[in-house]
């Protein structure tokens, strides 16, 4: 059983730490490079969503990212105390738009739902909880 936690500030510079966190998990679980890159993409999208939208500008706040795996499934829980925001309700972006012209976060949930097996959102005790699960093919 693997469990890791990362505490982040809601600043865009923290995405480098998210990447490092994913890399450590990928190493520990022996994930292939493609999956590691996909997970990076997913977490970057979801964390940047929180950084951009959850808090009023200038407010510094914590974001928690927990990762757990039993070897068969890898699950991430992203938690913040920002305003209620359910990314799973956002319309999927138009995949025909040139990615370079798309805003960060615009493609987000479309990519995320394609990569992950399960994406669920809860608002609990004033927190946003986003759970993302990926089955691991051994």
């Amino acid at each position: 059983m693997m469990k890791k936690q990362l505490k982040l500030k809601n600043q865009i510079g923290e995405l480098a730490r998210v990447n490092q966190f994913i890399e450590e998990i990928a190493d520990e679980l022996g994930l292939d490079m493609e999956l590691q890159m996909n997970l990076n993409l997913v977490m970057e999208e979801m964390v940047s969503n929180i950084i951009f939208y959850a808090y009023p500008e200038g407010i510094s706040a914590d974001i928690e990212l927990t990762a757990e795996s039993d070897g068969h499934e890898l699950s991430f829980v992203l938690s913040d105390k920002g305003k209620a925001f359910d990314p799973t309700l956002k319309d999927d972006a138009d995949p025909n738009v040139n990615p370079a012209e798309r805003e960060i976060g615009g493609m987000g949930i479309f990519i995320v739902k394609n990569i992950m097996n399960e994406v669920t959102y809860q608002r609990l005790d004033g927190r946003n909880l986003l759970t993302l699960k990926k089955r691991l093919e051994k």
Side-chain angles (χ1 to χ4, degrees):
M1 195 63 189
M2 178 214 78
K3 186 169 184 172
K4 288 182 184 298
Q5 195 172 34
L6 180 65
K7 251 192 182 355
L8 302 158
K9 286 282 172 217
N10 58 334
Q11 294 153 357
I12 208 72
E14 294 280 73
L15 291 178
R17 294 182 56 220
V18 174
N19 286 347
Q20 199 181 344
F21 184 69
I22 299 290
E23 201 174 307
E24 287 168 18
I25 291 167
D27 283 352
E28 197 167 319
L29 296 176
L31 307 180
D32 63 45
M33 201 61 206
E34 188 188 1
L35 180 52
Q36 182 181 327
M37 288 174 77
N38 281 340
L39 291 173
N40 254 332
L41 197 62
V42 163
M43 295 326 295
E44 261 182 32
E45 278 290 348
M46 296 294 97
V47 172
S48 50
N49 254 343
I50 297 171
I51 292 169
F52 291 131
Y53 305 119
Y55 297 97
E57 211 169 321
I59 300 285
S60 175
D62 290 327
I63 301 168
E64 281 175 22
L65 174 56
T66 308
E68 272 187 74
S69 179
D70 58 0
H72 301 289
E73 187 176 64
L74 174 57
S75 66
F76 293 97
V77 178
L78 255 177
S79 163
D80 69 89
K81 289 185 185 148
K83 64 175 186 227
F85 175 69
D86 183 352
T88 64
L89 298 178
K90 265 183 80 163
D91 289 340
D92 291 340
D94 179 356
N96 303 319
V97 175
N98 175 349
E101 292 163 17
R102 193 182 288 118
E103 304 165 56
I104 291 191
M107 194 60 183
I109 198 64
F110 181 75
I111 294 178
V112 170
K113 284 176 177 169
N114 274 331
I115 293 172
M116 305 305 275
N117 297 106
E118 199 184 307
V119 182
T120 50
Y121 169 85
Q122 280 177 295
R123 179 80 181 176
L124 207 62
D125 299 330
R127 298 187 82 91
N128 293 309
L129 294 176
L130 185 69
T131 304
L132 304 122
K133 296 185 176 180
K134 178 70 180 170
R135 278 193 297 279
L136 303 174
E137 309 303 326
K138 279 281 176 254

